[in-house]
Short mmCIF file of all heavy atoms in Angstrom, two decimals:
data_model
loop_
_atom_site.label_atom_id
_atom_site.label_comp_id
_atom_site.label_asym_id
_atom_site.label_seq_id
_atom_site.Cartn_x
_atom_site.Cartn_y
_atom_site.Cartn_z
N LEU E 45 -0.81 9.58 -9.00
CA LEU E 45 -1.85 9.22 -8.10
C LEU E 45 -2.49 7.85 -8.43
O LEU E 45 -3.27 7.32 -7.69
CB LEU E 45 -3.06 10.23 -8.26
CG LEU E 45 -2.80 11.65 -7.78
CD1 LEU E 45 -3.86 12.65 -8.27
CD2 LEU E 45 -2.89 11.61 -6.24
N LEU E 51 -4.12 10.03 0.24
CA LEU E 51 -3.39 11.21 -0.11
C LEU E 51 -3.29 12.19 1.03
O LEU E 51 -4.40 12.45 1.66
CB LEU E 51 -3.91 11.86 -1.37
CG LEU E 51 -3.31 13.17 -1.91
CD1 LEU E 51 -1.94 12.84 -2.49
CD2 LEU E 51 -4.06 13.85 -2.96
N LEU E 70 -4.09 18.62 -11.41
CA LEU E 70 -4.36 17.58 -10.36
C LEU E 70 -5.68 17.62 -9.64
O LEU E 70 -6.01 16.77 -8.83
CB LEU E 70 -3.23 17.86 -9.21
CG LEU E 70 -1.89 17.41 -9.63
CD1 LEU E 70 -0.84 18.15 -8.76
CD2 LEU E 70 -1.58 15.91 -9.60
N ARG E 71 -6.56 18.72 -9.99
CA ARG E 71 -7.69 18.84 -9.31
C ARG E 71 -8.78 17.68 -9.48
O ARG E 71 -9.15 16.98 -8.52
CB ARG E 71 -8.32 20.20 -9.69
CG ARG E 71 -9.23 20.73 -8.50
CD ARG E 71 -9.93 22.12 -8.80
NE ARG E 71 -11.06 21.92 -9.56
CZ ARG E 71 -12.24 21.61 -9.08
NH1 ARG E 71 -12.41 21.69 -7.90
NH2 ARG E 71 -13.29 21.47 -9.89
N GLU E 72 -9.04 17.53 -10.78
CA GLU E 72 -9.96 16.36 -11.11
C GLU E 72 -9.54 14.99 -10.56
O GLU E 72 -10.25 14.22 -9.88
CB GLU E 72 -10.41 16.38 -12.55
CG GLU E 72 -11.55 17.36 -12.90
CD GLU E 72 -12.65 17.14 -12.10
OE1 GLU E 72 -13.27 16.09 -11.84
OE2 GLU E 72 -13.15 18.26 -11.62
N PRO E 73 -8.28 14.62 -10.95
CA PRO E 73 -7.80 13.27 -10.42
C PRO E 73 -7.91 13.13 -8.86
O PRO E 73 -8.11 12.02 -8.39
CB PRO E 73 -6.44 13.19 -10.94
CG PRO E 73 -6.23 14.25 -11.91
CD PRO E 73 -7.21 15.22 -11.71
N ILE E 74 -7.61 14.31 -8.18
CA ILE E 74 -7.65 14.13 -6.64
C ILE E 74 -9.05 14.01 -6.20
O ILE E 74 -9.34 13.30 -5.23
CB ILE E 74 -6.98 15.38 -6.00
CG1 ILE E 74 -5.44 15.19 -6.30
CG2 ILE E 74 -7.24 15.43 -4.51
CD1 ILE E 74 -4.54 16.38 -5.74
N LEU E 75 -10.01 14.76 -6.84
CA LEU E 75 -11.41 14.63 -6.54
C LEU E 75 -11.92 13.16 -6.85
O LEU E 75 -12.66 12.64 -5.99
CB LEU E 75 -12.37 15.65 -7.34
CG LEU E 75 -12.28 17.01 -6.70
CD1 LEU E 75 -12.97 17.99 -7.76
CD2 LEU E 75 -12.99 17.02 -5.48
N ASP E 76 -11.40 12.62 -7.81
CA ASP E 76 -11.92 11.22 -8.16
C ASP E 76 -11.36 10.19 -7.20
O ASP E 76 -12.13 9.32 -6.68
CB ASP E 76 -11.25 10.76 -9.62
CG ASP E 76 -11.95 11.43 -10.73
OD1 ASP E 76 -13.09 11.90 -10.53
OD2 ASP E 76 -11.41 11.49 -11.91
N LEU E 77 -10.16 10.49 -6.72
CA LEU E 77 -9.54 9.61 -5.65
C LEU E 77 -10.35 9.64 -4.49
O LEU E 77 -10.70 8.65 -3.71
CB LEU E 77 -8.09 9.99 -5.27
CG LEU E 77 -7.36 9.15 -4.28
CD1 LEU E 77 -6.96 7.82 -4.85
CD2 LEU E 77 -6.14 10.01 -3.84
N ALA E 78 -10.78 11.00 -3.97
CA ALA E 78 -11.63 11.06 -2.84
C ALA E 78 -13.05 10.44 -2.97
O ALA E 78 -13.52 9.80 -2.15
CB ALA E 78 -11.84 12.59 -2.51
N ARG E 79 -13.51 10.62 -4.17
CA ARG E 79 -14.92 9.96 -4.51
C ARG E 79 -14.86 8.43 -4.38
O ARG E 79 -15.76 7.91 -4.29
CB ARG E 79 -15.37 10.57 -5.90
CG ARG E 79 -15.85 12.01 -5.82
CD ARG E 79 -16.48 12.36 -7.15
NE ARG E 79 -16.53 13.83 -7.30
CZ ARG E 79 -15.93 14.40 -8.39
NH1 ARG E 79 -15.32 13.74 -9.30
NH2 ARG E 79 -16.04 15.80 -8.35
N SER E 80 -13.58 7.91 -4.77
CA SER E 80 -13.54 6.46 -4.68
C SER E 80 -13.55 5.95 -3.29
O SER E 80 -13.71 4.74 -3.00
CB SER E 80 -12.24 6.12 -5.29
OG SER E 80 -11.09 6.20 -4.52
N GLY E 81 -13.49 6.89 -2.23
CA GLY E 81 -13.52 6.44 -0.85
C GLY E 81 -12.09 6.45 -0.23
O GLY E 81 -11.97 6.21 0.92
N LEU E 84 -8.24 11.15 2.45
CA LEU E 84 -7.50 12.39 2.10
C LEU E 84 -7.13 12.95 3.54
O LEU E 84 -8.23 12.99 4.42
CB LEU E 84 -8.26 13.31 1.34
CG LEU E 84 -7.80 13.41 -0.18
CD1 LEU E 84 -8.04 12.08 -0.91
CD2 LEU E 84 -8.68 14.36 -0.87
N LEU E 94 -9.50 21.75 1.61
CA LEU E 94 -10.57 20.76 1.62
C LEU E 94 -11.91 21.34 2.06
O LEU E 94 -12.98 20.65 2.12
CB LEU E 94 -10.17 19.59 2.68
CG LEU E 94 -9.07 18.67 2.15
CD1 LEU E 94 -8.55 17.82 3.35
CD2 LEU E 94 -9.47 17.76 1.07
N THR E 105 -11.16 24.79 -3.45
CA THR E 105 -10.45 23.74 -4.22
C THR E 105 -11.12 22.42 -4.33
O THR E 105 -11.55 21.92 -5.36
CB THR E 105 -9.05 23.79 -3.91
OG1 THR E 105 -8.39 24.96 -3.73
CG2 THR E 105 -8.18 22.83 -4.77
N PHE E 106 -11.09 21.68 -3.18
CA PHE E 106 -11.78 20.41 -3.09
C PHE E 106 -12.86 20.59 -1.98
O PHE E 106 -12.62 20.27 -0.97
CB PHE E 106 -10.81 19.35 -2.57
CG PHE E 106 -9.49 19.31 -3.48
CD1 PHE E 106 -8.33 19.60 -2.80
CD2 PHE E 106 -9.65 18.98 -4.73
CE1 PHE E 106 -7.17 19.46 -3.53
CE2 PHE E 106 -8.40 18.84 -5.49
CZ PHE E 106 -7.23 19.10 -4.84
N PRO E 107 -13.97 20.99 -2.44
CA PRO E 107 -15.07 21.20 -1.30
C PRO E 107 -15.60 19.83 -0.74
O PRO E 107 -16.69 19.40 -1.06
CB PRO E 107 -16.20 21.97 -2.08
CG PRO E 107 -16.00 21.67 -3.54
CD PRO E 107 -14.62 21.21 -3.73
N LEU E 108 -14.80 19.14 -0.08
CA LEU E 108 -15.05 17.77 0.41
C LEU E 108 -15.44 17.80 1.90
O LEU E 108 -16.00 16.78 2.34
CB LEU E 108 -13.84 16.83 0.11
CG LEU E 108 -13.51 16.66 -1.28
CD1 LEU E 108 -12.16 16.01 -1.44
CD2 LEU E 108 -14.57 15.66 -1.91
#
Side-chain angles (χ1 to χ4, degrees):
L45 289 163
L51 180 68
L70 289 163
R71 209 179 82 86
E72 277 305 317
I74 290 174
L75 280 172
D76 286 345
L77 182 72
R79 288 189 197 115
S80 80
L84 262 55
L94 291 167
T105 305
F106 307 117
L108 295 165

